[in-house]
């Protein structure tokens, strides 16, 4: 069969090649050849004979069309038979790249050459050698479609960036709109991938793109908006003097002028671009939120574009008023894509200018009424974002709109709405009441949300204790059992009110509980239901202890209880929906109830007493199962690698969910023997969580552009703190463990250096150096091989050291380094000891303050217990009244007895500068110097030389002036 | 070429839109509306201005109607059936479908209710509609050989369109009424960027800048929700087309999101029929309606049921849409009478009510009693909510559209005079576009684009095809001014591509224009290349030493032996090349040369290039004739200066 086809093919081919040498091979022969080529079982001899025949057709005197077909066949051949690829490459290069050939033929040939060379590293040099000159000369030939193709594929040729940039910039002037678009797209691509230092060049690109904002074609304008955005930001970033802000405003106004374009794509792009701007003046932004021209922007003019021919006219200035109402228009756009993008871009801007956040909120509130779920969600997310950055000031007028989302038919919308409510400060009782009513109404309609609603109620009750109390007073009739003694507990509403009631005493505003104690005993009967909802705040045992305490005593201090978020290492899952599946404590509520009925008072008084003595988890109903812990830890660690893969592929939500469930699992273990390891693991999970959050930004690289401000900075700050705690608050590291942590520290340094403003660089860079040297030392000591990431970091540190002015201009270099990082499996030995301290003061609370004489020193008797602290450690007591009034007292460990493992002693700490006031609150905390960290001077007082890591919770002490009777 | 624009209606007023535009011999009538405020001859446009003889068929090429509102279409049956126009008429499909309903409704009201003499009959309307050609959006219609028109989406009402018309190279857009922001059921106006000589735009809200529509929607929903929440009944009197559908979509959506179960009723009649049209004409509605169409037709209202008179006094809350809009009579009045006395109920009023209607009475202050007619008094205790939705664009929208289209001229119609004047001022000062606000019966003439066709030489075409950009660096001319707000920023680096500028337009003998490449010009003209040269005959004072050496040879001044010429030249060469710092001068036997500068011994007595004002002893000097071209001017003067100063050196 093969032979037959081959003979047939060759016959036709030979006929055509001998008889009519001009016309080239006929279609039939070519299709026969193709079928032979793509059949993998065709023999080598046939293939090589076909190749030879085809090569003959590449002679320049052949018909260009037939050369085109021949070339495409050869390209297929190269793909099918990699062995032949070099030969094909050489043939095509020698025959088809002749300069006299038609432009298209040469381009076809070039395309074949590049596609052959792409998978084959060895051919790259020869491609580079021939492509540069040829590429440019082809670009300047008349054929526009070839030009289009070449510019589109510019990345495949190794054109030196400066040359490519010049070409692309030049071709933005091309009369063919498609070429203009490709040129602009190319410029955008280059802007992100190379470093342009020539300011004039950046300006050239920027202004050229600005000129094209008025192009006749939609798609050119579309590309121009992106180019203006990218190059504009580059330009703004390149300027350091005071004109930076003006330029950024210019860019903003320029983009605002595009939001009324008739093309949807252009509008979306314009809003996306607006959301990326990192700096804008307040008046310009408020102008963008108002359609009426404001007095503050009237007459303000920014430079618009100006080409050579029209350089004198005023017309090319762009007035600030052209930003008028940009967001109003965007938010009422016909297309949801535009509305969503406008909502999204408000997020960044509202944070940049908290002054206009209120105005933005007014607009956003209306979006909650939008018909598209996507838009409603984006608007809510933006509000949530604003709440996190503390610029969400909800007014009473907004409440109707906002509460509407609590009863929205979409579960997503409801959940985000509740999340916002959690993190919002409610300014007065009316708003608080409206919110509670809204939640109760939502509870009536959507019973499936019960858990989350309870949790939100508990949350807002805690943060607004006074309001909660006054509400409870109003509705206490509902909560009280009816005259028959039956508690209306089956009604969700009553349970919700109970949750609100029990939250109030935990508020900082409420030292003395004004909720009737019996309400707490009602709540005890609903323990299961409530604790299920509050599982992200406390476990059932804590809750029970808390409730029983409250039902007897009216003096409550939240600090007594082990609420999870009070511990530094166990935060409230950030706005998450509580996950009550899986690792719930196995202790039936019935057992609890029985215990209470048995002899509640005795047990509970004992328990609360123990509470004060031992602040580690309250009471353990659980088996102390050391093995189970280590099993679980091992399981988690073995999954870390998978987590890493998920993270890299952008499944952040899933990763966070998984981490959360593990965390919840870990928390349920309350063993004494492996408590330290448990604490460490929880910290480690936090680190992984934060990494996941960082990685989202790295994957979508455009978000990384938001310099300085924004989430990345925050997250990396958190990461820094936790990593430091992990390093210094544990002792007994194995070498692998320490290396792992150091590597993470290294990554964090590089993250900071790669994205955050230059002013932070010095400290981060220093830290980077010290970390690297520590890693080197450990590797040398243990004669182990450093990871790829460490090697690369060392390499580039060497490069930076060689360059003159340090790392200030090499964020891109650092960004590349990040790619080398991969999260290795953590080998955890579990022999760690947690370094911690406890501070206790007897007989001091709000009602029972220590006396003092204003202006004179006071002594504070502190009960101190130290665990696992070596005598070399330098411990400090930090005492703060407010930021300026902070004193440090050094604790000389040699004065006190005890061993490293545990020390208990009483210490009278002097506080010298008592303020001139009748009473004050003093916050005392104990910290340990991180000796290998950088010198960090605490301003204006004698204190530690190095950064501190704090070993315990801050303790509040109350003082009141001695009044002469 | 001139575009002539005759305003027959809606000039400095709102009502009876009608503009006749003549472009390159074609005459198009845009809209043919009636004025609702007049009952005399002012009701219709003055058609006699189009043609005194009444021969409209020859006077007009076609009529274009933008939408079905009576102030845009009301006079059409009169014009076609009574005045006898038989030419083509164009409008969009929905307009064609809905216009007869509107016209018939109007005719009925006028004739049946008010007992007026009818201007046109039902048959007239039907016949008129038969002459109409329906067009689709963005469909280019070739009216005749030269004239083409195209419709663009305008928002405003269902089927409203802006029309683009082009004759030859001249092009205009007539907007009709349009809305630049979408509402719940219609989209925003949408048009391409076109090269326009003229834009005729409405200017109803020439000075208003409207706030976000959301605030208005919110108020409305809040009022309605509060009322039904309290168990009250809501009466929404509306016009059957447009607003009713918009409000209904708004409510239907809200109901669904808030899970409300209160019934919404539509009173029977025109509204039901209109809803049917809306359901069919989905492609003319907003993006949202189109998007959801696949799953659910937005006009299939979920919570809406039809109303029945028995339900008027049924217990429990409800929402009712009823016609007519201004409670001027009919069903809405009937319901109003029943519901007005209860404080729990709510009546919403449209933004505008004609004086004399109950709506108007309710709007002007809150009356407690309304006299319906003698003997009937309604006790009004219900709440009143006034809607202020408008389907017209605001001033900002007009400015945005004008800015986007950037036409050469703008004519404002359909607005109030003082407001139009203010907008006109803004368009001229802010956008730099010539703007007019003609009154009725005014004629505005503007010049139009006319392209001249020209041949192009092969060489010119070839050179145009090749990219030929270059970069100009302006930074040499001044420091960078970027970032300073007070100066016009300009990039120091600019791209330019002057392919067309390299061509030369010539007019051939046969009066045909042709573009040549600049290199071809001389061939074409059969001329030599001329070059401007500068010449100066420079006296050079050689020192005495040299003179004496040469005296013997100077027999006459006229004939210098060649060897002498050469030696003088050589002498000059040696001296000059010693002095000259830039470039190296070269000796070529007869002359010295540096770039285009040449110097040779001048033997003429009266050389025209010799300057005579020299204070030197002329007899002492030897003259050298110097020539150079413009490019080397500076250099040449430097050399001349050196030659002149040689004297001093030698001494």
């Amino acid at each position: 069969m093969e032979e037959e086809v081959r003979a047939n093919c060759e016959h036709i081919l030979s006929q055509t090649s001998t008889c009519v040498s001009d016309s080239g091979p006929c279609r039939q022969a070519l299709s026969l050849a193709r079928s032979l080529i793509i059949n993998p079982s065709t023999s080598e001899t046939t293939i090589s004979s076909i190749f030879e025949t085809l090569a003959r057709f590449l002679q320049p005197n052949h018909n260009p069309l037939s050369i085109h077909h021949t070339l495409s066949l050869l390209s297929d051949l190269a793909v099918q038979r990699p062995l032949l690829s070099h030969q094909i490459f050489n043939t095509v290069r020698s025959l088809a790249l002749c300069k006299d050939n038609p432009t298209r033929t040469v381009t076809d040939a070039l395309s074949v050459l590049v596609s052959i060379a792409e998978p084959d590293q060895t051919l790259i040099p020869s491609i580079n050698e021939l492509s540069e000159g040829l590429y440019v000369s082809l670009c300047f030939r008349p054929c526009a479609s070839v030009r289009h193709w070449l510019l589109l594929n510019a990345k495949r040729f190794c054109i030196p960036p400066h040359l490519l940039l010049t070409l692309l910039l030049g071709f933005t002037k091309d009369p063919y709109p498609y070429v203009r678009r490709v040129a602009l797209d190319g410029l955008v691509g280059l802007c992100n991938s190379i470093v342009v230092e020539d300011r004039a060049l950046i300006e050239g690109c920027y202004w050229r793109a600005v000129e094209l904002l008025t192009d006749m074609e939609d798609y050119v304008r579309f590309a121009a908006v992106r180019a203006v955005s990218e190059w504009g930001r580059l330009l703004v970033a390149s300027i350091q003097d005071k004109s930076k802000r003006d330029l950024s405003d210019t860019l903003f106004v320029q983009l605002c002028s595009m939001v009324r374009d008739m093309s949807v794509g252009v509008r979306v792009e314009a809003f996306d671009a607006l959301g990326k701007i990192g700096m804008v003046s307040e008046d310009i932004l408020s102008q963008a939120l108002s359609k009426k021209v404001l007095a503050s922007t009237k007459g303000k003019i920014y430079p618009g574009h100006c080409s050579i021919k029209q350089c004198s006219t005023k017309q090319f200035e762009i007035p600030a008023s052209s930003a008028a109402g940009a967001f109003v228009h965007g938010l009422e756009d016909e297309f949801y894509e535009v509305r969503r993008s406008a909502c999204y871009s408000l997020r960044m801007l509202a944070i940049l200018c908290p002054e206009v956040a209120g105005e933005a909120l007014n607009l956003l509130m209306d979006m909650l009424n939008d018909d598209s779920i996507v838009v409603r969600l984006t608007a809510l997310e933006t509000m949530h974002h604003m709440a996190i950055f503390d610029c969400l000031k909800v007014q009473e007028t907004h409440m109707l709109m906002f509460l509407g989302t609590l009863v929205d038919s979409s579960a997503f919308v409801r959940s985000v709405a509740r999340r916002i409510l959690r993190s919002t400060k409610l300014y007065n009782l009316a708003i608080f009441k409206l919110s509670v009513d809204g939640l109760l109404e939502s509870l009536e309609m959507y019973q499936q949300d019960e858990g989350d609603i309870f949790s939100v109620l508990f949350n807002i009750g805690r943060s607004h204790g006074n309001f909660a109390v006054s509400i409870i007073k109003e509705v206490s009739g509902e909560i009280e059992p009816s005259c028959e003694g039956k508690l209306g507990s089956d009604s969700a509403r009553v349970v919700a009110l109970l949750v609100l009631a029990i939250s109030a005493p935990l508020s900082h505003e409420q030292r003395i509980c004004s909720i009737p104690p019996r309400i707490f005993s009602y709540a005890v009967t609903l323990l299961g239901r409530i604790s299920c909802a509050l599982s992200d705040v406390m476990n059932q045992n804590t809750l029970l202890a808390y409730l029983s305490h409250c039902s007897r005593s009216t003096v409550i201090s939240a600090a007594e209880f082990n609420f999870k978020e009070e511990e530094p290492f166990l935060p409230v899952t950030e706005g998450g929906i509580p996950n009550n599946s899986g690792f719930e404590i196995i202790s039936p509520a019935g057992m609890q109830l029985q215990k209470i009925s048995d002899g509640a008072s005795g047990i509970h008084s004992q328990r609360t007493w123990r509470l004060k003595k031992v602040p580690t988890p309250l009471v353990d109903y659980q088996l102390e199962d050391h093995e189970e812990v280590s099993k679980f830890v091992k399981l988690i660690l073995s999954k870390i690698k998978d987590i890493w893969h998920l993270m890299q592929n952008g499944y952040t939500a899933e990763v966070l969910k998984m981490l959360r469930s593990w965390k919840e699992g870990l928390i349920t273990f309350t063993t004494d023997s492996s408590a330290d390891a448990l604490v460490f693991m929880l910290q480690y999970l936090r680190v992984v969580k934060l990494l996941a959050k960082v990685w989202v930004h790295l994957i979508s690289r455009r978000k990384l552009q938001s310099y300085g401000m924004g989430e990345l900075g925050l997250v990396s700050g958190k990461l820094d703190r936790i990593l430091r705690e992990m390093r210094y608050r544990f002792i007994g590291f194995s070498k692998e463990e320490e290396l792992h942590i150091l590597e993470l520290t290294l990554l964090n340094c590089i993250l900071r250096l790669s994205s955050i403003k230059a002013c932070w660089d010095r400290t981060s860079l220093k830290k980077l150096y010290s970390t690297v040297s520590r890693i080197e030392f450990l590797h040398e000591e243990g004669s182990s091989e450093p990871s790829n990431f460490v090697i690369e970091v060392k390499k580039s540190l060497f490069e930076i050291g060689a360059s003159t002015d340090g790392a200030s201009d090499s964020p891109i270099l650092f960004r590349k380094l990040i790619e080398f990082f991969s999260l290795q499996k953590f080998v955890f030995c579990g022999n760690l000891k947690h370094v911690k301290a406890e501070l206790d003061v007897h007989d001091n609370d709000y009602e029972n303050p220590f006396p003092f004489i204003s202006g004179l020193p006071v002594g504070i008797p502190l009960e101190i217990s130290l665990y696992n602290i070596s005598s070399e450690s330098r411990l400090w007591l930090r005492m703060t009244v407010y930021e300026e009034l902070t004193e440090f007292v050094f604790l000389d460990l040699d004065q006190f007895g005890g061993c490293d493992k545990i020390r208990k002693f009483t210490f009278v700490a002097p506080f010298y500068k008592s303020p001139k006031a009748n009473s004050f609150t003093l916050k005392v905390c104990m910290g340990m110097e991180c000796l290998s960290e950088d010198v960090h001077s605490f301003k204006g007082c004698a204190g530690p030389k190095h950064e501190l890591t704090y070993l315990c919770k801050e303790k509040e002490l109350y003082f009141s002036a001695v009044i002469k009777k | 070429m001139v575009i002539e624009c005759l305003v027959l209606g809606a000039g400095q007023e709102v009502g009876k839109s009608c503009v006749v535009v003549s472009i390159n011999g074609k005459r198009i009538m845009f809209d043919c509306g009636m004025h609702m405020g007049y009952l005399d001859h002012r009701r219709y446009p003055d058609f006699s201005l189009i043609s005194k003889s009444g021969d409209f068929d020859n006077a007009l090429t076609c009529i274009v109607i933008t939408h079905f509102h009576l102030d845009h279409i009301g006079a059409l049956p009169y014009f076609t059936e009574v005045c006898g126009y038989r030419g083509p008429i164009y409008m969009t499909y929905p307009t064609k479908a809905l216009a007869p309903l509107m016209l018939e409704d109007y005719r009925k009201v006028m004739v049946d209710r008010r007992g007026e003499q009818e201007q046109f009959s039902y048959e007239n309307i039907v016949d008129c509609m038969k002459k109409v050609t329906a067009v689709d959006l963005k469909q280019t219609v070739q009216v005749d050989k030269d004239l083409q028109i195209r419709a663009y989406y305008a928002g405003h009402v269902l089927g409203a369109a802006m029309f683009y018309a082009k004759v030859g190279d001249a092009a205009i857009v007539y907007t009709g009424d349009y809305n630049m922001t979408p509402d719940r059921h219609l989209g925003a106006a949408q048009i391409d960027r076109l090269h326009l000589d003229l834009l005729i735009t409405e200017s109803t809200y020439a000075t208003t800048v409207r706030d976000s529509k959301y605030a208005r929607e919110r108020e409305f929903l809040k009022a309605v929700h509060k009322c039904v929440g309290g168990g009250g009944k809501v009466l929404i009197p509306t016009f059957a087309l447009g607003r009713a559908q918009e409000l209904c979509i708004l409510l239907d959506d809200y109901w669904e999101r808030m899970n409300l179960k209160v019934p919404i009723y539509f009173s029977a009649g025109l509204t039901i029929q209109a809803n049917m049209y809306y359901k069919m004409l989905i492609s003319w509605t907003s993006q949202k309606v189109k998007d959801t169409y696949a799953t659910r037709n937005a006009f299939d209202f979920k919570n809406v049921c039809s109303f029945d008179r028995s339900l008027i006094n049924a217990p429990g809350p409800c929402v009712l849409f009823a016609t007519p809009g201004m409670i001027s009579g009919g069903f809405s009045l009937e319901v109003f009478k029943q519901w007005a006395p209860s404080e729990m109920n709510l009546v919403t009023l449209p933004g505008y009510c004609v004086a004399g209607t109950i709506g108007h009475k309710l709007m002007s202050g809150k009356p407690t009693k309304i006299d319906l007619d003698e003997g009937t008094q309604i006790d009004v205790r219900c709440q009143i909510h006034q809607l202020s939705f408008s389907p017209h664009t605001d001033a900002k929208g007009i400015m945005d559209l004008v800015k986007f289209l950037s036409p050469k001229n703008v004519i404002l119609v359909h607005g109030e005079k003082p407001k139009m004047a203010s907008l006109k001022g803004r368009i001229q000062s802010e956008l730099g576009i010539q703007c007019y606000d003609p009154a009725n019966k005014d004629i505005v003439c503007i010049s139009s684009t006319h392209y001249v066709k020209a041949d192009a030489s092969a060489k010119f075409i070839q050179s145009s095809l090749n990219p030929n950009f270059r970069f100009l660096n302006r930074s040499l001319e001044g420091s960078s001014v970027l970032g300073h707000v007070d100066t016009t920023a300009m990039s120091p680096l600019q791209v330019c591509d002057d392919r067309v500028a390299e061509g030369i337009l010539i007019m051939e003998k046969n009066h045909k224009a042709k573009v040549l490449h600049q290199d071809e010009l001389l061939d074409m003209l059969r001329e030599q290349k001329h070059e401007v040269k500068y010449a100066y005959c420079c006296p050079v004072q050689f020192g005495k030493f040299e003179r004496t050496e040469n005296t013997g040879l100077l027999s006459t001044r006229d004939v210098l032996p060649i060897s002498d010429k050469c030696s003088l030249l050589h002498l000059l060469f040696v001296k000059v090349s010693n002095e000259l710092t830039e470039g190296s001068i070269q000796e070529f036997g007869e002359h010295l040369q540096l770039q285009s500068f040449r110097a040779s011994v001048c033997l003429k007595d009266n050389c025209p290039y010799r300057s005579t004002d020299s204070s030197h002893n002329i007899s002492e000097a030897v003259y050298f004739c110097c020539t150079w071209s413009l490019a080397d001017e500076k250099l040449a003067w430097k050399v001349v200066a050196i030659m002149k100063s040689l004297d001093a050196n030698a001494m």
Side-chain angles (χ1 to χ4, degrees), chain B residues 541 543 575 578-579 641-651:
Chain B
Q541 304 275 339
K575 302 245 167 199
N578 282 343
E579 297 279 323
I642 291 169
M643 284 161 68
K644 277 186 171 175
S645 63
L646 278 181
D647 175 35
N649 283 350
M651 297 297 270

Side-chain angles (χ1 to χ4, degrees), chain A residues 140 142 147 166 203 207 214-215 260 262 291 301 303 306 308 324 329 331-332 334-335 366 369 371 376 446, chain B residues 181-182 187-188 193 210 213-214 218 221 253 257 287 394 396 400 404 466-467 482 485 489 491-492 494:
Chain A
F140 281 92
R147 202 146 65 226
T166 322
E203 284 180 16
W207 289 112
T214 52
D215 200 276
R260 287 297 266 162
M262 288 285 176
K291 273 174 94 176
I301 279 174
C306 170
I308 296 278
H329 288 305
L331 293 178
E332 56 181 29
E334 185 179 349
F335 292 83
D366 285 324
N369 204 15
D371 45 56
R376 292 207 296 274
Y446 303 98
Chain B
T181 48
R193 186 162 264 182
R210 223 176 283 129
K213 62 172 180 174
Y214 293 125
R218 189 176 54 204
L221 290 176
D253 254 13
R257 249 177 314 117
Q287 194 57 38
D394 64 352
K396 179 135 196 315
D400 286 339
F404 181 77
N466 281 320
L482 243 189
V485 179
S491 159
Q494 302 224 349

Side-chain angles (χ1 to χ4, degrees), chain B residues 155-451:
Chain B
H156 188 62
V157 289
L158 194 71
M162 310 197 239
F163 274 89
Y164 167 78
K166 184 179 176 199
V167 183
D169 303 317
I172 72 160
V173 161
Y174 176 85
T175 64
D177 294 349
Y178 62 100
N179 195 358
M180 290 289 279
T181 48
D183 61 28
R184 288 275 162 168
H185 72 308
L186 295 175
Q190 210 275 327
I191 193 165
D192 296 331
R193 186 162 264 182
L194 303 156
H195 286 287
L196 296 180
D197 293 305
L198 173 65
L199 171 72
I200 305 174
T201 171
E202 67 132 318
S203 49
T204 321
Y205 291 98
T207 52
T208 318
V209 176
R210 223 176 283 129
D211 259 337
S212 165
K213 62 172 180 174
Y214 293 125
R216 302 190 292 274
E217 286 187 359
R218 189 176 54 204
E219 294 295 307
F220 172 72
L221 290 176
K222 191 172 160 188
V224 172
H225 193 166
K226 202 173 139 203
C227 175
V228 295
K233 296 179 192 308
V234 184
L235 172 65
I236 308 180
T238 51
F239 187 68
L241 285 167
R243 187 52 26 76
Q245 283 76 17
E246 181 183 357
L247 294 179
C248 199
I249 290 185
L250 186 61
L251 284 180
D252 202 46
D253 254 13
Y254 187 73
W255 252 233
E256 195 159 336
R257 249 177 314 117
M258 295 297 152
N259 246 322
L260 294 179
K261 297 288 176 244
V262 178
I264 302 176
Y265 295 114
F266 251 42
S267 72
L270 190 52
T271 323
I272 302 290
Q273 202 175 352
N275 274 356
M276 188 191 72
Y277 277 110
Y278 271 90
K279 259 188 242 178
M280 291 192 301
L281 298 165
I282 286 294
S283 61
W284 294 79
T285 56
S286 76
Q287 194 57 38
K288 178 232 159 186
V289 178
K290 282 187 247 177
D291 285 346
T292 52
Y293 174 62
T295 47
R296 184 172 82 89
N297 191 323
F299 296 99
D300 274 332
F301 301 112
K302 264 192 189 164
N303 300 290
V304 173
C305 11
S306 68
F307 197 66
D308 182 308
R309 243 161 252 274
S310 63
L311 291 168
I312 293 182
N313 286 316
C318 70
V319 177
L320 171 68
F321 285 86
T323 51
M326 302 168 192
I327 326 186
S328 51
F331 193 64
S332 58
L333 181 62
E334 196 177 318
V335 178
F336 179 73
K337 279 192 268 186
Q338 305 277 348
W339 290 2
S342 165
E343 290 98 345
M344 278 159 76
N345 295 343
L346 172 76
V347 174
T348 67
L349 294 173
Y352 175 75
C353 286
V354 175
T357 58
I358 294 190
H360 188 77
K361 282 181 202 158
L362 290 174
M363 268 163 63
S364 40
K366 195 172 185 254
T368 47
K369 291 205 180 343
I370 285 183
D371 296 314
L372 196 58
D373 48 49
E374 285 165 50
T376 329
Q377 197 179 45
I378 309 175
D379 196 10
V380 182
R381 296 227 195 94
C382 64
Q383 304 146 52
I384 310 279
H385 180 85
Q386 197 177 339
L387 300 171
S388 48
F389 293 78
S390 170
H392 288 274
T393 179
D394 64 352
K396 179 135 196 315
I398 300 174
M399 291 297 282
D400 286 339
L401 183 78
V402 173
K403 192 172 160 195
F404 181 77
L405 289 173
S406 298
K408 297 198 182 75
N409 298 276
V410 174
I411 292 181
L412 302 178
V413 293
H414 202 281
E416 291 160 31
K417 188 177 176 184
K419 293 181 180 173
M420 285 164 92
S422 145
L423 182 65
K424 173 180 150 185
R426 276 187 70 196
I427 290 176
Q428 288 182 338
S429 64
E430 286 176 29
L431 304 175
I433 295 171
Q434 185 63 44
C435 185
Y436 308 88
D437 56 342
N440 279 343
K441 303 184 186 179
D442 278 359
I443 295 179
V444 178
C445 289
I446 58 164
S447 57
S448 72
T449 312
H450 180 65
Y451 296 114

Side-chain angles (χ1 to χ4, degrees), chain A residues 347 351 380-390 711:
Chain A
R347 171 180 304 197
I351 292 160
L380 282 171
E381 294 278 8
T382 299
M383 279 153 68
H384 184 230
H385 210 72
M386 285 163 73
I388 290 173
F389 283 86
D390 198 25
E711 267 183 84

Side-chain angles (χ1 to χ4, degrees), chain A residues 507-695:
Chain A
S507 145
H508 297 297
E509 302 159 15
Q510 288 280 317
R511 288 289 147 198
I512 303 148
C513 181
S514 34
I515 302 277
R518 61 181 180 284
I519 285 187
F520 294 93
S521 31
Y522 301 153
V524 171
T525 63
L526 296 161
L527 187 69
R529 197 163 171 190
I530 295 175
S531 85
C532 182
L534 302 184
S535 61
D536 60 336
V537 187
M538 54 175 116
N539 62 25
Q540 204 167 31
N541 304 320
T542 319
L543 181 63
L544 179 59
Y546 166 69
L547 290 178
S548 25
H549 174 86
C550 291
S551 59
R552 279 171 298 102
S553 157
T554 50
V555 181
I556 291 147
S557 157
E560 290 170 24
F561 293 93
N562 177 32
F563 295 122
K564 292 174 188 172
E565 83 272 50
E566 303 275 330
E567 288 282 323
F569 45 85
L570 295 174
V572 180
T573 41
E574 200 178 283
I577 309 156
N579 185 343
N580 12 341
S581 62
F583 307 96
E584 198 56 40
I585 306 166
I586 322 132
S587 60
M591 195 174 96
Q592 305 288 339
L593 288 171
Q594 201 190 351
K595 275 195 175 131
I596 291 162
S597 59
D598 274 358
S601 57
I603 293 172
H604 291 300
S605 63
Q606 196 185 1
R607 193 176 293 152
T608 40
W609 176 81
R610 271 181 69 192
L611 251 178
K612 283 185 179 168
K613 287 291 153 195
V614 194
T616 39
L618 185 64
V619 187
D620 306 324
Y621 290 105
Q622 287 242 299
L623 290 171
E624 291 192 2
D625 195 346
H626 180 68
E627 255 181 35
E628 212 161 288
V629 175
S630 60
K631 230 191 237 168
F632 193 60
V633 165
K634 253 184 208 154
L635 177 82
I636 291 177
L637 288 176
S638 67
K639 290 269 171 69
I640 288 288
K641 197 106 197 178
D642 302 337
I643 285 265
W644 172 246
H645 283 299
L646 285 175
M647 239 191 254
Q648 277 183 315
N649 294 320
Y651 295 102
T652 316
E654 284 76 0
V655 168
L656 291 179
K657 212 165 145 192
M658 222 183 277
L659 289 171
R660 203 180 303 138
S661 73
W662 287 347
K663 194 187 85 184
E664 276 159 15
L666 278 178
I667 298 166
T668 55
F669 294 109
T670 42
T671 62
D672 269 344
S673 55
S674 52
D676 291 353
L678 214 55
V679 172
F680 184 83
M681 265 322 287
L682 283 166
Q683 291 280 51
Y684 185 69
L685 285 184
R686 270 189 94 182
V687 169
V688 178
K689 182 180 99 182
L690 291 172
L691 268 188
K693 284 185 179 174
V694 169
W695 236 257

